[in-house]
Amino acid sequence: MSVAMAETRTDRAEIARAETRERILDTADRLFRHYGYSKTTVADIAREMGMSPANVYRFFASKAEINEAMAHRMLGEKIARVLEVARLPLPASQRITILAEGGYRDTIETMLDDTKVHEVVTVAMEERWSIIAAHIERITEILAHIIADGIQAGEFPAQDVRRSANCLHQCFISLVHPQIVAQCRNEPSFMSPADMAKFALRALKHPEID
């Protein structure tokens, strides 16, 4: 067998493996949304796909690993939406406001209105998976780029961009953390995304001088 043929067979095997993994995740997503994460077993996923549990375990070592992969995919979609806003040809202050309002709306629609999805994300947070930390870091990087754009355009004065991005992200946590939103959104003291954005923008325009 030639090297080229061997590589082609390997490529096909890898593609087939990736496709099967995606099918497993799609099936798990459907069952988790219908029955909930805690009530769905690997055997349920396997039965739905017409395969044995042992075959599912060839691709994922545990149900927790399936959920981690699902959370990774879900957060990747969220990053894509954030990047779409970050790249808009708008002033930095407008993009920050859109992110605050959009992030809150996204949390309500995709994590709270669908309680089964909320459960998947909550489990991921409770397990303190590395993907959560990586997601937070990526969002902070995107915010730092927007703030830097604002400084360059004269919207914001010079400041420690990374520090400001960290503060901005933490300011918006109450708008995007599913557990906080679920528990606090109906409280009279819970501030709207627009109010939080205005507060954050005032801070960016008048940063603390050490």
Side-chain angles (χ1 to χ4, degrees), residues 109-205:
E109 293 176 353
T110 65
M111 295 183 185
L112 298 190
D113 287 348
D114 191 335
T115 57
K116 302 302 191 300
V117 175
H118 182 200
E119 183 184 7
V120 169
V121 177
T122 298
V123 170
M125 289 180 169
E126 289 175 349
E127 293 293 333
R128 302 177 67 86
W129 289 333
S130 60
I131 59 169
I132 300 297
H135 177 74
I136 291 172
E137 174 63 23
R138 186 70 182 108
I139 293 292
T140 303
E141 289 176 355
I142 295 170
L143 292 175
H145 282 298
I146 295 175
I147 293 170
D149 286 346
I151 293 172
Q152 185 175 9
E155 288 182 73
F156 311 135
Q159 55 195 280
D160 184 330
V161 172
R162 178 67 191 195
R163 180 182 180 187
S164 293
N166 280 327
C167 289
L168 180 60
H169 192 194
Q170 290 181 37
C171 180
F172 286 165
I173 284 293
S174 63
L175 300 175
V176 298
H177 193 296
Q179 290 169 305
I180 294 176
V181 174
Q183 293 176 17
C184 302
R185 62 173 169 158
N186 294 321
E187 294 295 325
S189 60
F190 190 76
M191 304 304 293
S192 71
D195 285 334
M196 291 294 286
K198 288 177 183 177
F199 179 83
L201 290 172
R202 282 197 296 269
L204 289 171
K205 291 176 182 177

Side-chain angles (χ1 to χ4, degrees), residues 14-149:
E14 290 178 352
I15 291 172
R17 181 176 179 79
E19 289 175 346
T20 302
R21 280 178 61 89
E22 287 302 308
R23 284 178 53 227
I24 292 172
L25 292 179
D26 288 341
T27 302
D29 181 47
R30 187 167 61 254
L31 293 179
F32 287 173
R33 288 175 186 270
H34 185 73
Y35 298 108
Y37 173 75
S38 59
K39 294 182 179 180
T40 302
T41 66
V42 172
D44 293 330
I45 297 169
R47 183 167 52 252
E48 185 75 9
M49 296 185 67
M51 63 171 61
S52 68
N55 201 20
V56 174
Y57 285 123
R58 289 178 53 215
F59 298 89
F60 296 97
S62 64
K63 189 175 85 166
E65 190 171 297
I66 293 173
N67 194 34
E68 183 173 359
M70 284 178 57
H72 180 77
R73 186 165 67 171
M74 192 183 307
L75 293 175
E77 292 169 355
K78 186 176 182 65
I79 289 291
R81 292 192 290 272
V82 171
L83 280 171
E84 185 177 353
V85 173
R87 292 166 177 163
L88 290 173
L90 297 172
S93 56
Q94 279 188 254
R95 283 178 277 164
I96 288 171
T97 300
I98 293 171
L99 285 176
E101 295 176 340
Y104 179 73
R105 184 172 58 252
D106 189 51
T107 300
I108 296 292
E109 293 176 353
T110 65
M111 295 183 185
L112 298 190
D113 287 348
D114 191 335
T115 57
K116 302 302 191 300
V117 175
H118 182 200
E119 183 184 7
V120 169
V121 177
T122 298
V123 170
M125 289 180 169
E126 289 175 349
E127 293 293 333
R128 302 177 67 86
W129 289 333
S130 60
I131 59 169
I132 300 297
H135 177 74
I136 291 172
E137 174 63 23
R138 186 70 182 108
I139 293 292
T140 303
E141 289 176 355
I142 295 170
L143 292 175
H145 282 298
I146 295 175
I147 293 170
D149 286 346

